Amino acid sequence: MEQQLKQLEQEALAKIEAASNLKELNEVRVAYLGKKGPITDLLKGMGKLSPEERPKMGALVNTVREHVTEQLEAKVAVLEEQAILEQLEKESIDVTLPGRPVRVGNRHPLTRVIEEIEDLFLGMGYEIAEGPEVEKDYYNFEALNLPKGHPARDMQDTFYITEETLLRTHTSPVQARTMLEKKGEPFRIICPGKVFRRDNDDATHSHQFMQVEGLVVGENIRMSDLKGTLDTMAKKMFGSDREIRLRPSFFPFTEPSVEMDISCFKCGGSGCNVCKHTGWIEILGAGMVHPNVLEMGGYDSKKYSGFAFGIGAERIAMLKYGVEDIRHFYTNDARFISQFHRTEG
Amino acid sequence: MLVSLNWLKQYVNIDGIEPAELAEKITRSGIEVDAVIDRSQGMTNVVVGHVVSKEKHPDADKLNVCQVEVGVGDVRQIICGAPNVAAGQKVIVALPGARLPGGVKIKKAKMRGVESNGMICSLQELGVEGRTVPKAYADGIYVLPEDAVPGSDALELVGLRDIVLELGLTPNRSDALSMLGVAYEVAAILSDEVKLPEINYPTTAESAESYIKVSTAASDLNPLYAAKVVKNVKIAESPLWLQHYLMAAGIRPHNNVVDITNYILMEYGQPLHAFDYNSLNSNEIVVRLANEGEKIVTLDNQERTLNSHNLVITNGKEPVAVAGVMGGANSEVTSDTTTVVIEAAYFDGFSVRRTSKELGLRSDSSARFEKGVDPNRVLLAAERAAQLLSDLAGGEVLQGTVLVDQLDKTPTRVVVSPDFINARLGMKISLEEMLSILHRLQFDVEAANGLLIIDAPTRRQDINIEEDIVEEIARLYGYDEIPMTLPEGMGNVGGLTPYQAKRRVVRNVMEGAGLLQAVTYSLTSDELAQKFALKVEDTTKLLMPMSEERTTLRQSLIPHLIEAASYNVARKADSVALYEVGSVFLGKTSEELPYEEEHLAIVLTGKWVDNAWQGEKRNVDFFVAKGIVVALFDKLGLSDRVSFEKGSVDGLHPGQTATVLLDGEKVGVIGGLHPTERKKADLKETYVAELNLYAIINATTEALVYSPVPRFPEISRDIALELDRSKAAGEIERVIRGAGAKLLKEVKVFDVYEGEKIEAGKKSVAFSLTYFDPERTLTDEEVTNAHNKVLKALAESGAEVR
Ligand SMILES: [Zn+2]
């Protein structure tokens, strides 16, 4: 019987060794350790043994059982490990293949420039004022100290709709309208929008373009406030090491009037093709609001003063991003617009 | 305005200051110098030559072989093709090695076998603008005076050793339209004095009044008219210096009389006109408004038809000049002229501007009158003309000036306090400093009782109010000195309006959906103006369009977006997805302006999903467009209020067009482009949408309050229906929702089938219904009851449950 047991053990161990998967192993388990297996049969046959042999034999059976079980479990572990490795191998991918594309659009570079300016001024307590693209001659010109027949009207070639209505040549009529709306209260606004001039479209001219104007009216608004504000904007738009300078100029709606240059962001002032070898780049026009404009807007020009400035969004975008032809902004070539998708800095 | 520094030196000391530095100073303190032009343009080896002999070239009809002395004993053979070259002339010679403008390099050469050692030059070849070259030399070489010394610097002799500043004048600085005006400006910048020309000349015993009478019938438009008479004038070329000054200023020399009037125009900024006394055919000058339809042939030999608000100078019978704009051919100074009447007048700027615009005739005169000439220089200019006619044209000036004069010549007084100036600038400039600046500007100023009482010179017509003084002080003190501050707090909070904030959300949704923002033109053609419009209303058209493509303001954004899509597809884009936010222009408001409504439009064409290596490729379809629109309404909190129904728009596919409704009102359209439109635009399947953004953004929503995360399970039931192909799934969905009542949380289409397995003309649509109660777990029975109601409603509506 003892010998029979040893033989069973050998058989079982050999089968465990030979098993190549969990299913075969389970068959071995059922075959040898199951309730109908030979070891159980042997235990059942123990009754025929003498009482002295019984415990000895019982111990032997248990040892064999334990040994077989142990081996079986060890083999299970090996096979499970193997199965996981196989799964991992099977599930491995080439991680360098392209990811699933996610469509992401982006805004137009002009909107990008305008929003950047808007956000800067929103942070300084400004509101954003908007107005119609088709305007009354009154708001576009007369309320801005440009009566009919004024020579300075020639500075802006205008698309007229009728004698009294036109496509606005600047966003300044929004300033005129805002003054009347605010009814004498101090305010700060930014006016972005589309404007129009009678120009043939070419690399540097566009009959439609975007402007951003700013207007501040209050009780003690000084030219130094204008200069400080423009300096803040120049640094935000073109880099913190930019310097600004003001040059006298003329606009009928401001007095004094200035033009602002920034130090060239390409060469830093030593002279290059961007700044036409002057070290400075002309950026915008500005000035202190003309008392006639304040008065027409319902503000007592003895008590109130203000400053205003106006920037061409295209000019800023062309300088900032190195765009050489203004028509790119209106062709809507995806290969152009999509370049303005990423953050900077 | 072109300012010759050689000329400017006559009035103000600019020695020892580099032209570039002077230009910078002028620019920084008030007048932009657009360019500093060296008239010599770096030319070298350009000398005076004496044509010793001229012979025909043996092999070329049009060429001459000249022997030219270019220095003592230095005679060179030069071939010259100019028709006016002649032996004995003093000419300009560019020697071998010379560099001329335009990159021309002079070398020894053989021309048709004959050696040539240089070039005899025209002024144009020296870079002088053709339109300023005297007519006699316009088509040939320039001939120098007889006393020119061979071998000496020819550039000096023709006035090209000069620097010209090109001023970009703003309309307010008409004072700088004269050399004296520029001199005053430069003197103020450099703290220097202006040397004025001294005027004195002999007169005859005869009086001007015995030759001519002057009257004006329009003294409001012509408050001052002065006439001087000069007789025995000898018409000739002007002296070279004068010709060179004029050419440097961009004016072509003609003869001494005309040149003198032009010289004074430039010197004083006062336009003058010279009449030939004999051809006036009268002894009176009458200034009056023209008769309607009256005609005059102007100096440029054009017949001009006048109207009744054009001011004219007449001889008492017919016009002899258009006042302030241009003289008449009938009284022109010619080579036969002996007696000259010089007109110096003040004409109303507005009137001159209007006339010159109407006649399409702008002149150096009109440009100055338009902006207002200095009332105190009119008579001075007349005197200066008399002097120069006496000095340079041998004329005899008759005694006196014939004059009508009602012109107010008093300077404008401006009273301003130094505190006001400092307050406006945000500075602390001392009173002494301010006075010094005003003195430099030669403003009459008196400081009294804390005020500056200023009489600005009448040449400075731009000085009228306190702010003008602020500017004068600031620009000469230096804008660099202004400190930088920010406006003091006014309690403004600022920020975007809800509309503006939502518009930014709209952009974010579009970009998140993968669309690029386009910006197209508001102006379009007549043909496209109303195409695809949500609402067709009266259009707004330009009075004078520049082209047929841009005549009318658009009523839909779609046409230009389709153009943009075509543009991209033509450049091999396999996928185009664009959106635009912009205004459309509809009808007319009470303000006589069109009603401007902000719209959003999108265009989609080509691939939508393109994941090539995984084999996922899908073209855009109607439902991509609709999905984007739905996402937008969802983001704006309007998904429960939006609905879609079959719609129809010209140019869109009749079977692929949906009207978008918000609270039952039409706010937009989504559709496939009609095949014929696609063909026109050279596009494949293309989908567009346009929404009335104004209406959508202004649809207000309630404050957002969270609802508890569901704690009880949801139960789904599916229904498959067989429907007519034309039956709208949306309608069925409404039936289901209506019947499902409040336990029905969600209805989703999860399958649509048309094809072989179903009867022709039918389709199968499968819905998944979700039942849910936030308060408890629903029993099977409750769900079944609710679901049965849905089935019953469907049956009643004629839908067949499969
Ligand atoms: Zn540079």
Side-chain angles (χ1 to χ4, degrees):
Chain A
M1 199 171 164
E2 192 179 327
Q3 205 166 1
Q4 213 182 339
L5 197 61
K6 283 283 178 203
Q7 201 189 330
L8 276 174
E9 184 181 9
Q10 289 309 316
E11 264 176 48
L13 291 180
K15 280 193 176 161
I16 287 168
E17 184 63 31
S20 64
N21 58 45
L22 288 171
K23 190 169 165 251
E24 279 176 39
L25 261 190
N26 204 39
E27 280 162 12
V28 175
R29 181 200 309 274
V30 173
Y32 289 88
L33 303 174
K35 286 180 181 155
K36 288 170 187 161
I39 293 177
T40 313
D41 285 351
L42 273 182
L43 279 173
K44 283 178 189 158
M46 281 229 307
K48 296 172 191 159
L49 293 179
S50 63
E52 309 87 72
E53 273 180 320
R54 257 187 229 163
K56 200 175 139 208
M57 204 52 209
L60 194 62
V61 168
N62 275 337
T63 311
V64 169
R65 258 183 97 111
E66 271 165 31
H67 189 215
V68 170
T69 305
E70 210 172 84
Q71 289 300 309
L72 205 101
E73 275 166 8
K75 183 72 183 193
V76 166
V78 167
L79 284 181
E80 273 177 355
E81 170 81 16
Q82 217 175 332
I84 282 177
L85 287 174
E86 274 166 24
Q87 186 187 1
L88 290 179
E89 175 55 30
K90 215 169 100 193
E91 289 174 1
S92 289
I93 53 169
D94 179 355
V95 297
T96 65
L97 282 168
R100 238 173 250 275
V102 175
R103 282 194 88 104
V104 183
N106 60 264
R107 60 205 53 187
H108 193 279
L110 294 177
T111 309
R112 185 181 167 115
V113 165
I114 289 169
E115 283 193 357
E116 203 174 323
I117 297 171
E118 284 179 356
D119 290 345
L120 170 70
F121 284 97
L122 286 169
M124 297 199 284
Y126 286 61
E127 291 170 81
I128 294 171
E130 296 169 281
E133 291 170 39
V134 181
E135 259 297 0
K136 306 216 66 120
D137 183 276
Y138 178 79
Y139 291 114
N140 194 75
F141 288 128
E142 287 178 47
L144 299 166
N145 202 29
L146 270 156
K148 289 213 166 81
H150 193 288
R153 278 201 182 196
D154 292 350
M155 291 164 88
Q156 302 177 357
D157 246 336
T158 309
F159 282 120
Y160 277 93
I161 305 286
T162 67
E163 278 200 8
E164 294 301 328
T165 56
L166 44 77
L167 296 188
R168 64 179 176 189
T169 57
H170 42 202
T171 54
S172 315
V174 182
Q175 303 187 7
R177 284 175 180 271
T178 304
M179 278 192 263
L180 292 173
E181 249 165 53
K182 296 282 179 182
K183 299 198 190 312
E185 288 299 310
F187 65 89
R188 310 171 185 200
I189 53 166
I190 287 289
C191 319
K194 291 173 183 153
V195 301
F196 306 83
R197 305 260 169 103
R198 280 186 84 84
D199 265 327
N200 283 309
D201 297 339
D202 63 23
T204 52
H205 296 87
S206 182
H207 76 276
Q208 174 180 319
F209 58 102
M210 300 263 202
Q211 223 182 19
V212 185
E213 294 190 20
L215 174 66
V216 173
V217 174
E219 275 189 37
N220 182 30
I221 302 300
R222 306 154 294 182
M223 197 138 171
S224 57
D225 298 329
L226 170 63
K227 197 172 169 186
T229 302
L230 295 180
D231 185 63
T232 306
M233 178 166 63
K235 287 181 164 58
K236 162 82 178 168
M237 299 302 291
F238 291 103
S240 55
D241 46 356
R242 291 283 69 70
E243 282 174 37
I244 66 161
R245 69 173 196 186
L246 302 181
R247 279 183 292 109
S249 188
F250 169 75
F251 307 106
F253 24 90
T254 49
E255 185 68 41
S257 302
V258 291
E259 267 170 281
M260 182 190 85
D261 300 335
I262 58 166
S263 57
C264 181
F265 49 79
K266 192 172 175 202
C267 64
S270 57
C272 69
N273 57 336
V274 170
C275 58
K276 296 187 190 112
H277 304 282
T278 64
W280 295 93
I281 301 170
E282 189 179 319
I283 293 290
L284 57 80
M288 302 302 290
V289 182
H290 195 287
N292 291 357
V293 174
L294 287 170
E295 295 287 342
M296 277 185 280
Y299 287 78
D300 177 357
S301 67
K302 292 277 167 276
K303 186 174 167 200
Y304 289 96
S305 55
F307 68 70
F309 59 86
I311 323 165
E314 283 82 354
R315 174 150 179 82
I316 300 295
M318 288 171 92
L319 285 170
K320 208 170 145 68
Y321 306 122
V323 177
E324 78 296 349
D325 190 325
I326 197 170
R327 286 169 296 198
H328 285 314
F329 295 113
Y330 295 96
T331 317
N332 296 301
D333 191 322
R335 297 167 299 181
F336 175 73
I337 304 172
S338 61
Q339 289 182 41
F340 301 91
H341 67 287
R342 67 172 181 90
T343 55
E344 283 176 281
Chain B
M1 175 79 185
L2 299 170
V3 177
S4 148
L5 294 189
N6 283 351
W7 191 353
L8 186 67
K9 275 179 204 159
Q10 311 302 316
Y11 316 109
V12 64
N13 181 11
I14 50 171
D15 293 340
I17 178 163
E18 282 298 314
E21 192 192 341
L22 180 63
E24 174 73 6
K25 284 189 176 193
I26 295 173
T27 294
R28 294 304 310 283
S29 58
I31 295 170
E32 189 164 358
V33 178
D34 287 337
V36 179
I37 303 156
D38 180 351
R39 297 200 81 208
S40 74
Q41 299 187 51
M43 285 183 277
T44 53
N45 286 334
V46 180
V47 299
V48 175
H50 175 214
V51 183
V52 182
S53 69
K54 176 188 108 171
E55 278 164 36
K56 279 257 169 271
H57 188 289
D59 289 326
D61 281 355
K62 290 187 175 166
L63 297 181
N64 296 299
V65 182
C66 303
Q67 302 302 323
V68 185
E69 184 195 0
V70 293
V72 181
D74 185 357
V75 178
R76 306 200 185 182
Q77 175 168 299
I78 297 173
I79 310 288
C80 179
N84 64 332
V85 67
Q89 282 173 341
K90 296 286 171 62
V91 294
I92 305 164
V93 176
L95 296 172
R99 277 178 182 279
L100 301 185
V104 178
K105 233 171 127 180
I106 303 301
K107 285 184 262 184
K108 271 192 190 180
K110 275 195 169 171
M111 295 175 84
R112 296 254 176 143
V114 181
E115 195 172 293
S116 182
N117 297 296
M119 180 166 90
I120 303 179
C121 300
S122 67
L123 285 181
Q124 288 91 325
E125 280 158 341
L126 302 185
V128 177
E129 249 194 289
R131 62 178 184 85
T132 69
V133 173
K135 280 222 171 92
Y137 308 118
D139 302 315
I141 56 162
Y142 188 67
V143 182
L144 298 168
E146 280 171 25
D147 59 357
V149 179
S152 63
D153 181 14
L155 298 180
E156 176 75 42
L157 215 54
V158 293
L160 292 180
R161 294 263 176 239
D162 193 3
I163 306 285
V164 169
L165 304 185
E166 186 179 349
L167 306 185
L169 288 178
T170 49
N172 59 326
R173 292 303 303 273
S174 57
D175 62 298
L177 280 169
S178 66
M179 295 302 295
L180 278 171
V182 175
Y184 278 113
E185 178 75 9
V186 169
I189 295 166
L190 302 178
S191 302
D192 208 336
E193 296 290 313
V194 174
K195 280 177 287 182
L196 293 174
E198 275 177 39
I199 300 173
N200 52 61
Y201 54 88
T203 54
T204 62
E206 269 181 305
S207 77
E209 285 201 344
S210 63
Y211 272 64
I212 199 121
K213 300 263 176 297
V214 169
S215 62
T216 175
S219 58
D220 50 334
L221 302 181
N222 174 216
L224 169 60
Y225 195 101
K228 285 245 161 222
V229 182
V230 183
K231 62 177 197 177
N232 293 330
V233 165
K234 283 148 216 75
I235 303 291
E237 276 187 23
S238 304
L240 280 187
W241 62 264
L242 198 158
Q243 292 193 39
H244 296 156
Y245 283 176
L246 289 182
M247 285 160 73
I251 296 172
R252 183 200 290 263
H254 291 277
N255 59 49
N256 47 7
V257 174
V258 172
D259 291 356
I260 285 167
T261 59
N262 282 330
Y263 178 79
I264 296 167
L265 169 94
M266 293 308 299
E267 186 179 46
Y268 283 80
Q270 170 65 42
L272 298 177
H273 185 63
F275 295 103
D276 175 42
Y277 178 74
N278 293 326
S279 46
L280 270 181
N281 276 326
S282 140
N283 56 4
E284 65 171 344
I285 282 174
V286 178
V287 185
R288 61 163 167 83
L289 289 170
N291 302 319
E292 191 69 36
E294 202 168 13
K295 291 190 164 59
I296 179 172
V297 176
T298 41
L299 282 175
D300 53 2
N301 285 318
Q302 302 263 335
E303 190 183 69
R304 314 272 176 181
T305 306
L306 304 166
N307 62 41
S308 60
H309 55 252
N310 299 143
L311 194 67
V312 288
I313 316 301
T314 72
N315 60 2
K317 297 178 281 286
E318 52 174 2
V320 292
V322 182
V325 180
M326 198 176 266
N330 54 7
S331 53
E332 185 180 4
V333 171
T334 67
S335 50
D336 301 330
T337 300
T338 54
T339 303
V340 169
V341 177
I342 295 290
E343 162 200 293
Y346 187 101
F347 299 116
D348 174 70
F350 183 82
S351 161
V352 170
R353 177 178 153 84
R354 183 161 154 186
T355 299
S356 103
K357 264 200 155 177
E358 281 170 4
L359 298 180
L361 187 58
R362 307 211 92 168
S363 61
D364 285 326
S365 286
S366 68
R368 285 167 177 79
F369 281 123
E370 272 178 21
K371 288 164 186 142
V373 297
D374 180 355
N376 281 306
R377 273 197 203 145
V378 185
L379 293 173
L380 265 179
E383 296 300 326
R384 178 74 166 150
Q387 175 199 25
L388 292 179
L389 284 169
S390 166
D391 285 359
L392 307 176
E396 295 167 29
V397 182
L398 305 197
Q399 216 176 64
T401 304
V402 189
L403 189 64
V404 253
D405 184 2
Q406 295 167 29
L407 182 59
D408 179 6
K409 302 185 198 67
T410 50
T412 305
R413 172 160 294 190
V414 182
V415 179
V416 58
S417 78
D419 289 347
F420 176 84
I421 293 170
N422 278 326
R424 273 290 180 277
L425 294 175
M427 297 179 82
K428 290 191 179 80
I429 303 174
S430 69
L431 176 64
E432 289 69 33
E433 195 70 51
M434 289 186 192
L435 287 171
S436 149
I437 288 169
L438 294 167
H439 287 142
R440 275 157 62 192
L441 287 163
Q442 307 213 10
F443 286 14
D444 249 338
V445 54
E446 198 186 312
N449 305 324
L451 292 172
L452 297 167
I453 299 150
I454 299 160
D455 286 335
T458 49
R459 64 189 152 81
R460 290 294 306 275
Q461 307 252 317
D462 58 323
I463 306 297
N464 297 298
I465 56 174
E466 294 158 77
E467 284 77 3
D468 294 326
I469 302 296
V470 173
E471 178 165 49
E472 293 300 300
I473 300 283
R475 72 185 182 91
L476 286 168
Y477 193 79
Y479 281 141
D480 287 348
E481 306 304 317
I482 299 178
M484 296 206 221
T485 57
L486 288 175
E488 280 156 15
M490 300 187 296
N492 301 49
V493 178
L496 296 171
T497 62
Y499 186 96
Q500 290 162 347
K502 283 196 207 171
R503 180 168 48 203
R504 286 194 175 190
V505 169
V506 170
R507 285 206 281 257
N508 287 334
V509 171
M510 292 300 126
E511 285 152 25
L515 277 60
L516 293 175
Q517 187 194 10
V519 178
T520 67
Y521 296 133
S522 298
L523 282 170
T524 188
S525 64
D526 248 6
E527 190 198 340
L528 295 180
Q530 295 177 307
K531 201 161 182 182
F532 303 109
L534 287 182
K535 292 177 244 184
V536 171
E537 293 192 26
D538 285 348
T539 53
T540 308
K541 290 177 197 252
L542 295 183
L543 213 50
M544 287 190 299
M546 294 176 78
S547 73
E548 274 182 31
E549 283 73 54
R550 317 256 173 264
T551 61
T552 311
L553 288 158
R554 61 183 172 184
Q555 298 197 339
S556 165
L557 310 184
I558 292 175
H560 285 166
L561 281 184
I562 291 174
E563 279 176 9
S566 298
Y567 179 93
N568 281 287
V569 167
R571 278 151 191 81
K572 306 275 177 260
D574 60 359
S575 166
V576 180
L578 299 171
Y579 81 94
E580 179 170 16
V581 172
S583 288
V584 299
F585 304 81
L586 307 165
K588 214 172 258 178
T589 65
S590 55
E591 252 194 321
E592 287 300 299
L593 300 175
Y595 174 64
E596 291 185 26
E597 192 171 80
E598 194 158 52
H599 281 196
L600 163 74
I602 68 177
V603 64
L604 306 170
T605 191
K607 292 206 179 68
W608 185 249
V609 176
D610 185 8
N611 183 15
W613 71 271
Q614 286 176 306
E616 296 171 336
K617 278 191 188 180
R618 198 153 39 77
N619 279 350
V620 67
D621 61 26
F622 175 88
F623 298 102
V624 171
K626 185 175 177 183
I628 293 168
V629 169
V630 167
L632 175 67
F633 280 102
D634 185 35
K635 193 76 180 175
L636 295 173
L638 299 169
S639 41
D640 294 345
R641 291 156 64 179
V642 68
S643 58
F644 300 86
E645 60 184 37
K646 194 167 165 12
S648 148
V649 172
D650 272 355
L652 294 186
H653 193 303
Q656 297 182 356
T657 301
T659 302
V660 184
L661 303 129
L662 179 66
D663 300 329
E665 296 286 325
K666 179 177 176 181
V667 291
V669 65
I670 310 172
L673 204 54
H674 195 287
T676 57
E677 294 292 333
R678 294 201 314 239
K679 206 172 161 196
K680 266 194 258 173
D682 219 349
L683 290 170
K684 300 213 174 86
E685 283 79 359
T686 301
Y687 297 88
V688 295
E690 178 150 338
L691 300 172
N692 176 350
L693 204 55
Y694 182 79
I696 293 168
I697 289 183
N698 281 323
T700 50
T701 49
E702 280 168 19
L704 198 155
V705 177
Y706 126 103
S707 49
V709 177
R711 285 186 296 144
F712 301 99
E714 300 173 344
I715 295 155
S716 297
R717 296 281 166 94
D718 294 347
I719 305 175
L721 296 169
E722 195 170 299
L723 303 169
D724 284 343
R725 195 172 171 272
S726 61
K727 188 78 178 171
E731 234 172 86
I732 302 297
E733 189 184 322
R734 270 196 293 279
V735 172
I736 296 173
R737 282 189 193 279
K742 79 172 197 292
L743 290 186
L744 182 61
K745 188 188 167 200
E746 208 172 344
V747 181
K748 266 188 184 165
V749 174
F750 72 91
D751 189 40
V752 178
Y753 177 79
E754 289 175 41
E756 291 165 9
K757 294 179 189 163
I758 198 164
E759 200 182 318
K762 298 269 185 185
K763 64 180 172 187
S764 150
V765 181
F767 292 90
S768 164
L769 285 65
T770 305
Y771 295 95
F772 170 72
D773 188 322
E775 304 298 328
R776 64 208 164 84
T777 302
L778 289 172
T779 66
D780 211 38
E781 199 188 343
E782 283 169 320
V783 174
T784 304
N785 281 342
H787 196 62
N788 283 340
K789 278 184 197 157
V790 171
L791 294 174
K792 190 166 163 244
L794 285 171
E796 279 165 9
S797 79
E800 191 185 325
V801 180
R802 294 182 87 199

